[in-house]
């Protein structure tokens, strides 16, 4: 068996990968199918595309996925463009997706529905609409410089309420850069801060033409606006995200201008005159009522006998004054008692008192010491006398005075007869002297 004919799995997989990479028909593949096993990840996206009979793995890297302007969901029909490659580690082929868009509903409509769902969940459509001022001084208009929108708005405002000033914030209303420009002009009008009402809009067109008003950046600029916003985008049948977020929606630019202004200046002046008459009448009634109330109050006892106002307070003041005096006297008495007690304690604990007590104690101890020394001396004297008497009674001289004597031989006291021998010369000691004797003989008992 020739082993050189056998390939390793890695060698075979590498060979197949080269085949996939070199095949011109696999470099750009247009694929349609159902999105499967999709779970949104932070960076690269891994999922499957399937139909009734087959399934293929797919990967879309972070840079390409950033260009997707809708939220993919499992089960969605999609259109993808990419190239086919083989992943060597698993040995499975897959499509590397470069572009993705929904199939069926259309990409723009799907984006519209997804953004509408997202902003609705955040509550942007449920905000309480800001009231449109009835008598605006300045109206900001965010629209195209050359379109019919600004002409219709100007004509309507001059006809209905010519004292209002219309200020145009020209913007691009169609194309890729339109949404950013519209949001910038909305924010610019808010930064100026001296407008009562804002109208944004454009004329009719297809969904693609109106799409800048469906962008999230425009919706958030309208929601964050401090100026009440009237939206007039497209025709009456068209509905954009801007219409849903705005405080008011108008079917046409003319209708928007009518919402932003009162009916006619003459009607307004007549309304003001009527309000003035009603205000004067109401003020007269209020003044008459207040005058009657004043007269009624002037007739009250408070103004007739003002002294009665403070009688009770004066009596209460006297009571409080007496109570204060009593409290002060009691407080002073308590403090004096406390001072006296402290003085007594201080006198007891003063150094002079302590010294006197110590001196008295020293005197007592001295007396006790002298008495004890005297008694001890007497006891010792008596004991000495007793010992002298005892010693005297035991003195050999005292015994010899009763007729006793003792014998010495060569100046040594003889205690037993065994120390003596015949012929020895000994000395006999008596109370009044001594004698010499010679031993003739001895005898032991």
């Amino acid at each position: 068996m020739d082993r050189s004919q056998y390939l390793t799995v890695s060698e075979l997989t590498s060979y197949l990968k080269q085949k996939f990479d070199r095949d011109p028909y696999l470099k750009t593949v247009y694929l349609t199918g159902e999105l499967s096993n999709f779970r949104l990840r932070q960076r690269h996206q891994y999922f499957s595309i399937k139909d009734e009979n087959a399934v293929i793995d797919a990967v879309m890297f972070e840079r390409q996925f950033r260009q997707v302007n809708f939220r993919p969901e499992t089960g969605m029909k999609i259109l993808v463009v990419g190239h086919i490659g083989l992943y060597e580690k698993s040995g499975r082929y897959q499509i590397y997706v470069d572009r993705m868009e929904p199939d069926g509903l259309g990409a723009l409509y799907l984006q519209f529905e997804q953004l509408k769902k997202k902003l609705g969940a955040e509550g942007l459509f449920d905000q309480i609409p800001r009231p449109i001022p009835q008598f605006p001084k300045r109206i900001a208009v965010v629209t195209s410089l050359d379109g019919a929108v600004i002409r219709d708005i100007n004509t309507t405002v001059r006809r209905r309420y010519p004292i209002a000033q219309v200020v145009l914030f020209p913007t691009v209303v169609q194309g890729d850069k339109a949404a950013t420009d519209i949001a910038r002009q909305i924010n610019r009008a808010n930064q100026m801060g001296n407008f009562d009402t804002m109208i944004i809009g454009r004329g009719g067109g297809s969904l693609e033409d109106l799409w800048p008003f469906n962008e999230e950046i425009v919706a958030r600029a309208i929601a964050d606006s401090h100026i009440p916003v009237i939206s007039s985008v497209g025709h009456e049948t068209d509905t954009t995200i801007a219409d849903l977020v705005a405080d008011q929606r108008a079917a046409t630019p003319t209708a928007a201008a009518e919402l932003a202004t009162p009916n006619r200046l003459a009607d307004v002046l007549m309304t003001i005159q009527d309000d003035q008459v009603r205000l004067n009448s109401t003020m007269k009634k209020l003044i008459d009522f207040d005058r009657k109330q004043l007269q009624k109050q002037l007739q009250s006892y408070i103004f007739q006998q003002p002294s009665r106002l403070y009688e009770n307070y004066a009596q209460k003041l006297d009571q409080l004054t007496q109570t204060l005096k009593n409290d002060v006297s009691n407080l002073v008495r308590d403090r004096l008692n406390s001072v006296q007690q402290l003085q007594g304690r201080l006198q007891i604990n003063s150094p002079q008192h302590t010294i006197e007590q110590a001196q008295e104690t020293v005197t007592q101890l001295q007396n006790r010491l002298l008495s004890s020394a005297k008694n001890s001396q007497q006891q010792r004297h008596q004991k000495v006398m007793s010992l002298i008497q005892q010693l005297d009674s035991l003195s050999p001289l005292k015994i010899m005075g009763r007729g006793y004597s003792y014998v010495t031989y060569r100046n040594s006291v003889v205690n037993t007869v065994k120390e003596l021998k015949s012929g020895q010369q000994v000395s006999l000691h008596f109370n009044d002297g001594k004698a010499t004797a010679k031993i003739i003989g001895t005898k032991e008992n």
Side-chain angles (χ1 to χ4, degrees), residues 166-178:
V166 176
V167 179
L168 173 64
F169 288 83
T171 181
V172 180
V173 294
Q174 185 173 335
D176 296 337
K177 299 180 180 180

Side-chain angles (χ1 to χ4, degrees), residues 153-173:
I153 292 175
N154 267 329
T155 301
T156 304
V157 172
R158 283 198 302 269
R159 173 174 53 84
R160 291 171 56 88
Y161 197 63
I163 63 175
Q165 181 184 9
V166 176
V167 179
L168 173 64
F169 288 83
T171 181
V172 180
V173 294

Side-chain angles (χ1 to χ4, degrees), residues 42-140:
Q42 291 185 350
R43 296 188 61 197
H44 310 314
Q45 307 302 317
Y46 300 93
F47 50 94
S48 301
I49 302 173
K50 67 179 183 178
D51 57 16
E52 296 82 359
N53 301 314
V55 60
I56 182 175
D57 291 337
V59 58
M60 193 170 191
F61 295 118
E62 181 182 10
R63 183 171 61 85
Q64 286 81 8
F65 188 72
R66 287 198 194 123
Q67 308 302 319
V68 176
N69 49 19
F70 70 99
R71 181 182 177 89
E73 297 177 359
T74 296
M76 182 183 294
K77 296 287 288 183
I78 58 173
L79 302 172
V80 300
V81 180
H83 64 278
I84 304 297
L86 187 136
Y87 185 51
E88 292 185 74
K89 188 172 183 180
S90 64
R92 301 175 64 178
Y93 78 94
Q94 57 189 7
I95 182 171
Y96 294 86
V97 180
D98 297 321
R99 297 198 308 272
M100 180 194 305
E101 62 182 32
D103 185 18
L105 292 177
L108 292 180
Y109 181 72
L110 180 60
Q111 291 179 45
F112 175 85
E113 290 298 326
Q114 289 184 343
L115 182 58
K116 181 179 176 182
K117 181 178 179 181
K118 175 184 177 181
L119 299 181
E122 295 182 14
L124 260 67
F125 304 146
D126 300 328
Q127 295 180 349
I128 300 176
R130 290 157 293 194
I132 305 299
Q134 186 177 3
F135 306 107
K137 295 179 181 178
R138 305 187 76 205
I139 301 173

Side-chain angles (χ1 to χ4, degrees), residues 240-420:
T240 64
I241 298 293
D243 296 331
L244 300 176
V245 182
D247 300 288
Q248 290 282 351
R249 178 178 184 259
T252 62
T254 300
E258 290 175 350
L259 286 174
T261 56
N263 291 334
R264 288 188 307 171
L265 183 58
D267 295 338
V268 172
L269 294 176
M270 185 177 298
T271 301
I272 292 175
Q273 291 176 355
D274 292 340
D275 291 341
Q276 184 177 6
V277 172
R278 286 196 300 270
L279 179 61
N280 291 336
S281 176
T282 302
M283 291 300 297
K284 185 176 182 303
K285 291 179 181 179
L286 289 175
I287 291 172
D288 292 340
F289 177 79
D290 291 340
R291 184 178 290 113
K292 291 178 181 179
Q293 290 294 108
L294 176 61
Q295 293 298 326
K296 184 178 179 180
Q297 295 298 330
L298 289 174
Q299 297 300 321
S300 66
Y301 77 93
I302 294 177
F303 294 100
Q304 299 297 324
Q305 297 177 346
S307 60
R308 295 178 59 181
L309 269 176
Y310 57 85
E311 287 178 351
N312 292 334
Y313 293 104
Q315 185 177 357
K316 187 174 183 180
L317 178 61
D318 292 339
Q319 294 175 353
L320 292 175
T321 302
Q322 186 61 41
T323 302
L324 178 61
K325 289 180 180 179
N326 294 337
D327 291 343
V328 171
S329 298
N330 294 334
L331 181 62
V332 171
R333 184 172 58 254
D334 293 341
R335 292 293 185 270
L336 288 175
N337 291 336
S338 299
V339 169
Q340 291 174 357
Q341 292 176 1
L342 292 173
Q343 286 177 344
R345 291 171 57 188
L346 180 61
Q347 186 176 2
I348 294 174
N349 296 320
S350 65
Q352 182 64 32
H353 182 71
T354 304
I355 292 172
E356 291 176 356
Q357 286 184 338
Q359 288 178 346
E360 185 179 351
T361 301
V362 169
T363 303
Q364 292 177 358
L365 292 174
Q366 286 177 346
N367 293 334
R368 288 173 59 186
L369 180 61
L370 291 174
S371 176
S372 297
K374 186 176 180 181
N375 292 335
S376 177
Q377 185 178 7
Q378 290 176 355
Q379 291 176 359
R380 290 179 182 277
H381 179 72
Q382 292 176 358
K383 187 174 182 179
V384 168
M385 294 304 296
S386 175
L387 291 174
I388 290 174
Q389 290 177 0
Q390 292 178 11
L391 181 61
D392 184 62
S393 65
L394 296 175
S395 174
L397 297 177
K398 196 76 172 176
I399 296 173
M400 291 173 68
R402 295 197 299 269
Y404 293 94
S405 64
Y406 63 91
V407 179
T408 60
Y409 176 69
R410 293 181 179 178
N411 295 327
S412 298
V413 178
V414 178
N415 294 320
T416 64
V417 72
K418 293 180 180 180
E419 297 178 2
L420 299 175

